[in-house]
Amino acid sequence: PEAAKYLAKGLATLSMFGSSVGEGYLVGKALEAMGRNPEMAGTIFTRMIVGVALVESAAIYALVAFFLI
């Protein structure tokens, strides 16, 4: 049981790492899109913030799961 607990905590940590990588990729691509099309920067920024909030919520769920295990 103790080994399964540590394995589950490791998987939760791995998902938090994946969320941070995804968030960085999302922001980078949004900035690239703003650079290519500056007149749409406001729309892209708004959608980027919504996307970052969704990705961040997945990381928060993983953090909660880490402490509940």
Side-chain angles (χ1 to χ4, degrees):
E2 194 70 22
K5 178 180 171 182
Y6 289 127
L7 182 62
K9 284 192 174 210
L11 289 174
T13 304
L14 186 64
S15 67
M16 287 186 273
F17 173 74
S19 293
S20 64
V21 169
E23 192 171 334
Y25 185 76
L26 176 75
V27 171
K29 287 296 182 176
L31 291 174
E32 183 180 325
M34 285 183 224
R36 291 178 184 215
N37 196 358
E39 55 272 355
M40 290 296 292
T43 304
I44 295 170
F45 183 76
T46 304
R47 291 181 181 168
M48 179 194 70
I49 293 296
V50 171
V52 167
L54 290 173
V55 172
E56 190 67 30
S57 69
I60 290 170
Y61 291 145
L63 182 67
V64 168
F66 178 84
F67 285 115
L68 287 177
I69 296 173

